[in-house]
Amino acid sequence: MSSNNASSIEQNGINPIPDAERYGKPSGLFPVWFSWNISIFGITCGMYVFSLGLSVWQAMAAGVIGYFLSCSLVGILAVGSVRTGLPTLAQSRMCFGTDGNRIPAFFGYVANMGWKVTMLSMASTTLADLLQNLMPALSDGAGHPGSFCLLLSFAVVIVLTMVGAVYGYALIIKVERWIAIITGVMTFIYLFFFIPQIDFSQLNSAPSGSLAAFIGGIVLAMTMVGLGFLNYGGDYSRYLPRNSSAGSVIFWTTTGIALPVSVLLILGVMLCVGNPELLDKAAHEPLAALTGILPFWFYVPFSLVIIISLISAGMTGVYSSGLALLAVGVPLSRAATTLLNAVIIALGCFYLTFISDSFLSTFSSFLASISVVMGSWGAIEMVDLIRQRALKWDVTLAMPAGQGGSSFRAPAMIAFVIAVIIGLGTITSTDPYIAKITSFLLSDEAAQGTFAKANVGLVAAMLTGGVIYAFLTFVVHMGYKKQD
């Protein structure tokens, strides 16, 4: 059965994609990434970078640099999947060993699921808000969606997400292309109504921040976008022909992610300057803060943009979560793991939609902590691509011991553990429970600094992991041979 038949359920799991089933061009990666990064939530991300105490121009520069830098790392990992046909978390078995890789694969799964719970929850509440404004009978009488309206919206969002994720790669590629066009056009039109809300006379009113604050802004931008995609950057490039240009894969992946979010970040920075009330509201209700500034007659298409882009993000995320479970070693088919993920995400979304009062603080702290783990893994895997290339991209290295690979590779695991300890020890958390496993390497004064609050410890973890692994592999030659 052809792998590019969008009407059939994809049969491939984490196996290498055969050359006969490969098709497409690197440029096809652009709409996949663009479609679910055009989300208007990106405007709020610009507000968060600005809130570090930067000037407008510093916040713009820091955000764009952080986005493109981190997204280029996603593109680099995507090249490895082109050469092997393996999804990203399965390819890292070549670096960590089949058993050792279960640890980063599990955390990659957790990180992905956390993001999707949040995105699909926002999609559900946005759809419910839209429906109750169009049909007042669905309101609770106090200007908020009623329980039935929330439940209906929740069901619609989950079903649409599950359908795309279960059918798999071919359907996602075709659907995402249309979503990219629709959301791109609608967002472009939306800007004509959004830009007049900006007080351009205030753009120079914010004082410049320190160098530390600027670097912190770059790191914060990296954690909000690119680093969150490291663990599945290659899941959508592995069907490309094996000889596809590495430069093209990196370029189209990087621009597909970073271009839309950079434009939205710039707009977010300009909108919130001189508007502390909006900035405060964005920290608690990121989407409501934006819909509240629009006239109702444009509120409808604006909401549709949000809903479409968030469902798009959820669709691809659930698909990649299924691949992550297979990489952990769960004995199910890709379609079965995708359904399992959909159920788990549905439970999480139900909690956020119907039970939780506030999630942003806890989720932000959780994301920073899990990013330390995945950032460390990603840096080690990127260094190992040099070794994999020297070994002719031999996919048997991703097999268990005795079948060409290893169960456990010491250099990767040593570098990983040290990097994670350093990273968790040098980031901070606003959640009191997550704070118990963070900032233990910082003094009380250092923990209150800009670098700590912007989670620069994540970069320290990545550099530590990459350097230690490179030293053990290429200098000490620990485990460099094909079989350890």
Side-chain angles (χ1 to χ4, degrees):
M1 184 178 296
S2 175
S3 63
N4 62 354
N5 185 352
S7 64
S8 300
I9 295 178
E10 179 186 1
Q11 299 301 310
N12 289 308
I14 59 172
N15 56 285
I17 303 301
D19 288 340
E21 295 184 27
R22 292 172 176 249
Y23 64 97
K25 298 179 180 179
S27 58
L29 296 171
F30 181 85
V32 174
W33 293 107
F34 181 91
S35 62
W36 52 293
N37 281 287
I38 195 65
S39 169
I40 307 300
F41 180 67
I43 293 176
T44 311
C45 292
M47 299 179 185
Y48 295 157
V49 174
F50 177 76
S51 69
L52 289 177
L54 301 171
S55 71
V56 168
W57 313 110
Q58 283 180 319
M60 291 178 184
V64 172
I65 291 172
Y67 282 167
F68 275 89
L69 179 60
S70 59
C71 294
S72 67
L73 303 182
V74 182
I76 292 171
L77 287 179
V79 173
S81 293
V82 173
R83 302 296 181 247
T84 63
L86 294 167
T88 303
L89 284 174
Q91 176 148 349
S92 63
R93 288 177 172 180
M94 300 168 73
C95 177
F96 287 84
T98 52
D99 292 331
N101 190 62
R102 296 180 194 274
I103 298 174
F106 172 76
F107 281 105
Y109 169 75
V110 172
N112 198 5
M113 294 291 279
W115 264 113
K116 302 320 158 193
V117 165
T118 301
M119 290 181 175
L120 294 179
S121 295
M122 289 192 293
S124 298
T125 54
T126 303
L127 178 58
D129 191 61
L130 173 63
L131 291 177
Q132 69 94 17
N133 276 291
L134 293 175
M135 295 177 283
L138 296 177
S139 173
D140 63 358
H144 304 290
S147 297
F148 174 75
C149 183
L150 279 171
L151 186 61
L152 176 64
S153 302
F154 170 77
V156 170
V157 167
I158 294 298
V159 169
L160 290 177
T161 302
M162 286 176 59
V163 169
V166 168
Y167 270 82
Y169 177 85
L171 178 63
I172 288 175
I173 290 295
K174 291 190 176 183
V175 169
E176 298 287 357
R177 184 177 294 114
W178 284 105
I179 291 177
I181 295 172
I182 294 171
T183 54
V185 170
M186 291 181 71
T187 300
F188 180 76
I189 297 173
Y190 162 73
L191 297 183
F192 284 97
F193 300 92
F194 177 87
I195 292 176
Q197 302 290 332
I198 299 172
D199 186 351
F200 289 94
S201 66
Q202 294 291 317
L203 295 186
N204 292 315
S205 63
S208 297
S210 64
L211 176 62
F214 180 73
I215 296 175
I218 293 175
V219 175
L220 181 59
M222 293 175 66
T223 61
M224 288 191 300
V225 179
L227 296 184
F229 301 137
L230 282 180
N231 57 311
Y232 52 99
D235 294 2
Y236 304 98
S237 65
R238 65 188 184 129
Y239 275 92
L240 292 174
R242 193 182 303 271
N243 62 352
S244 297
S245 166
S248 295
V249 171
I250 295 172
F251 174 81
W252 289 113
T253 299
T254 301
T255 54
I257 305 172
L259 182 61
V261 291
S262 292
V263 173
L264 295 171
L265 176 139
I266 289 171
L267 292 172
V269 171
M270 292 193 295
L271 178 66
C272 68
V273 62
N275 195 338
E277 295 81 10
L278 180 64
L279 193 61
D280 180 68
K281 187 174 183 180
H284 300 89
E285 301 176 285
L287 298 185
L290 299 175
T291 57
I293 67 174
L294 293 175
F296 180 78
W297 61 270
F298 191 73
Y299 162 76
V300 174
F302 172 77
S303 297
L304 289 175
V305 169
I306 294 176
I307 296 165
I308 291 172
S309 60
L310 290 175
I311 290 178
S312 170
M315 187 187 303
T316 52
V318 172
Y319 171 78
S320 288
S321 294
L323 296 177
L325 271 187
L326 293 176
V328 171
V330 175
L332 296 172
S333 67
R334 187 202 59 78
T337 58
T338 300
L339 286 172
L340 175 62
N341 290 335
V343 171
I344 295 173
I345 288 178
L347 293 174
C349 290
F350 184 87
Y351 174 80
L352 287 181
T353 304
F354 296 98
I355 301 175
S356 175
D357 293 326
S358 175
F359 182 69
L360 182 59
S361 177
T362 299
F363 180 72
S364 298
S365 298
F366 163 78
L367 183 62
S369 301
I370 204 72
S371 293
V372 164
V373 179
M374 298 317 300
S376 301
W377 161 84
I380 294 168
E381 172 65 7
M382 276 184 275
V383 172
D384 194 62
L385 291 181
I386 300 173
R387 183 183 70 96
Q388 294 176 28
R389 180 181 180 184
L391 295 172
K392 309 298 184 184
W393 306 105
D394 185 358
V395 294
T396 61
L397 294 174
M399 300 296 288
Q403 300 180 39
S406 305
S407 294
F408 180 92
R409 294 194 69 249
M413 295 307 300
I414 291 172
F416 179 70
V417 171
I418 294 175
V420 170
I421 291 174
I422 290 176
L424 291 177
T426 53
I427 66 171
T428 61
S429 169
T430 55
D431 181 89
Y433 297 101
I434 297 178
K436 296 181 184 298
I437 62 170
T438 64
S439 66
F440 50 82
L441 296 178
L442 299 173
S443 65
D444 291 340
E445 181 180 357
Q448 298 302 315
T450 302
F451 279 111
K453 290 183 177 180
N455 298 319
V456 177
L458 189 148
V459 175
M462 293 181 67
L463 292 175
T464 299
V467 169
I468 292 177
Y469 181 74
F471 176 78
L472 294 178
T473 301
F474 302 115
V475 178
V476 179
H477 298 293
M478 179 186 293
Y480 186 82
K481 293 183 180 180
K482 183 175 180 179
Q483 292 187 354
D484 299 329

